[in-house]
Amino acid sequence: MAGASDFTCDLHAPAETGRVRRLAPNVVRLVAPNPSPLTGPGTNTYVLGSGPRFLVVDPGPDDTTHIDRILAVTSARISAVLCTHSHPDHSPGAAALKALTQAVVRGRPAPRDGHQDDSYRPDETLVDGELIEAAGVTLRALHTPGHASNHVCLLLEPEGWLLTGDHLMQGSTVVILPPDGSMRLYLESLRRLRALPLAALLPGHGAVIADPPGEIDRVIAHR
């Protein structure tokens, strides 16, 4: 990946505000400069692939510095921007990246509950169970409503690494805000994920979680 070729791979490196880290040969994490009590050190944007084109997962806020870092890591060669959901800390950067790179924006349609990113306009819907093969990686889309009705987790196969968006996050539990948020659906989605052979959780906020079954069991018990 351009702009990240000198980074040593460290899957379990801490997530630090504004930091760009290579987690694996085909995964770079960029932490957006939007730290807060709800976002931790900031929103994690993931760049996936080995070139010449890349996938971007959760572009984060429409922040010039953050967008510039994404463009540097990808050399502005982005085939698609995938949004796990349309909350304002996860998807606003999609419109800017589309305008600058002609990337396709993919995600599920946003609900109308007054808590969504108004700029979010997916070109294509992520379908539950869909296999995405692009940029040298394979992703499976998993519709996981609960935190948001349009929430999707993305399973990086064959590694077994789950990009969790806001469904699971390091060091905390997510907000469930009705009417769009649903605790019943959230728990159902967690149990669905618990049945998968997961090796690591790559959350939308915080560092990689190394024990997926233990973390999912912890959250189910807490909720």
Side-chain angles (χ1 to χ4, degrees):
M1 296 183 184
S5 59
D6 296 333
F7 297 160
T8 301
C9 294
D10 183 357
L11 184 63
H12 300 291
E16 301 165 299
T17 305
R19 187 71 181 269
V20 180
R21 283 191 180 270
R22 181 185 291 279
L23 303 185
N26 59 350
V27 181
V28 168
R29 180 187 63 208
L30 303 89
V31 183
N34 62 335
S36 76
L38 291 179
T39 61
T43 302
N44 290 336
T45 294
Y46 294 97
V47 173
L48 307 179
S50 51
R53 298 183 69 79
F54 301 92
L55 299 175
V56 172
V57 176
D58 280 351
D62 186 8
D63 175 89
T64 300
T65 299
H66 188 60
I67 296 298
D68 285 347
R69 288 186 179 125
I70 297 171
L71 295 173
V73 168
T74 61
S75 295
R77 296 195 297 264
I78 302 170
S79 58
V81 178
L82 311 178
C83 298
T84 62
H85 61 301
S86 49
H87 283 165
D89 57 328
H90 281 259
S91 61
L97 290 175
K98 177 181 178 180
L100 292 166
T101 69
Q102 288 73 58
V104 175
V105 176
R106 303 202 63 195
R108 294 181 69 84
R112 297 182 179 179
D113 67 345
H115 298 289
Q116 307 300 314
D117 161 25
D118 291 337
S119 71
Y120 175 72
R121 300 285 187 278
D123 301 305
E124 298 176 4
T125 297
L126 286 172
V127 178
D128 183 43
E130 174 186 358
L131 202 62
I132 302 160
E133 296 180 297
V137 299
T138 301
L139 290 171
R140 188 173 299 278
L142 302 169
H143 182 210
T144 48
H147 173 68
S149 60
N150 67 337
H151 195 285
V152 176
C153 291
L154 295 162
L155 179 60
L156 186 61
E157 298 179 338
E159 292 87 348
W161 297 344
L162 186 72
L163 282 73
T164 68
D166 269 358
H167 199 69
L168 292 156
M169 59 191 297
Q170 188 241 351
S172 184
T173 54
V174 302
V175 173
I176 308 295
L177 183 64
D180 185 62
S182 165
M183 187 64 72
R184 177 182 63 83
L185 292 178
Y186 181 67
L187 291 170
E188 288 179 3
S189 296
L190 282 173
R191 294 186 179 104
R192 178 188 184 190
L193 297 179
R194 181 64 174 84
L196 299 176
L198 302 177
L201 304 176
L202 280 62
H205 305 279
V208 171
I209 301 168
D211 177 18
E215 178 64 12
I216 293 171
D217 287 346
R218 181 190 73 79
V219 174
I220 290 174
H222 175 74
R223 293 297 194 174

